[in-house]
Amino acid sequence: MSARDQILARIRAAVAGAPDVPEPARDYLATHTVPDPATLLDLLRRNLADYRAHVHRAAGEELPALIAGVLAGHGVRSLAVPPGLPAAWLADTRAELRHDSAAAPLTPRVLDSVDAVVTGCALAVAETGTIVLDGSEGQGRRALTLVPDLHVCVVRVPGQVVASLPQALPRLDPARPLTWISGPSATSDIELDRVEGVHGPRTLHVVLLGEPEDGGR
């Protein structure tokens, strides 16, 4: 028996015969936001910016040039690319592309030398300004978005935007490795001196990708 099985067996033995836990009351408001796509998008943009993320708008055909401009503006020379990322997104990028895959994952040494990463996302939460990654196609494993110093994340709007956490959770698979991102990585000491880039990317760019009729950038 493994250590895990031993621990679980002890827990089951300890709670054997205990009464069932009552269902929690869920009579709270699921959201405090008007369910209007334009309102949600504006709220998401403002909360992302409040967390010091750089926010852009783009229609489909504008995305490659926008990503290339962001990367060039930061002097990016090498870029980590997760499996399943649409190749068209990087069509204008001049940086060296380093593709990650299950068969040939980028080593920690290589990831540490890469300047940036571009990913999609699973969801974005407007009320909290949070981006959620779940490691699926176009997002890659967690290390890809924690080691490089610059993260460019594309959010498809309005389809990937929800108002609140209660609305987000039912759309996420709890068995997947969920990463919740609210702005660039940051921490502060007891004197509240803010330091960015300690636990992840120092800089976060979020591109809100809509169709041309959504108004573009």
Side-chain angles (χ1 to χ4, degrees), residues 200-211:
R202 191 186 315 271
T203 306
L204 173 65
H205 284 259
V206 178
V207 182
L208 305 177
L209 176 63
E211 297 303 318

Side-chain angles (χ1 to χ4, degrees), residues 58-173:
E61 72 278 4
E62 300 172 321
L63 183 62
L66 192 152
I67 291 177
V70 169
L71 298 177
H74 285 276
V76 170
R77 294 171 295 179
S78 57
L79 181 70
V81 182
L85 189 80
W89 289 8
L90 305 179
D92 294 347
T93 298
R94 297 293 175 260
E96 176 189 356
L97 304 183
R98 299 186 179 179
H99 293 271
D100 188 69
S101 69
L106 298 176
T107 66
R109 184 181 295 274
V110 170
L111 275 178
D112 192 45
S113 69
V114 166
D115 296 321
V117 62
V118 175
T119 75
C121 74
L123 283 179
V125 184
E127 290 181 355
T128 60
T130 302
I131 306 296
V132 187
L133 309 181
D134 67 2
S136 57
E137 288 291 291
Q139 300 169 52
R141 56 196 174 100
R142 183 170 288 161
L144 290 182
T145 56
L146 293 180
V147 179
D149 202 47
L150 169 66
H151 181 191
V152 180
C153 185
V154 178
V155 180
R156 298 181 185 273
V157 300
Q160 290 186 318
V161 180
V162 297
S164 64
L165 292 175
Q167 292 182 351
L169 291 173
R171 291 181 52 172
L172 298 169
D173 182 353

Side-chain angles (χ1 to χ4, degrees), residues 162-200:
V162 297
S164 64
L165 292 175
Q167 292 182 351
L169 291 173
R171 291 181 52 172
L172 298 169
D173 182 353
R176 297 199 63 82
L178 301 177
T179 303
W180 302 74
I181 302 170
S182 296
S185 170
T187 189
S188 61
D189 59 20
I190 196 170
E191 295 179 349
L192 300 182
D193 292 325
R194 180 182 172 100
V195 179
E196 296 180 350
V198 176
H199 310 296

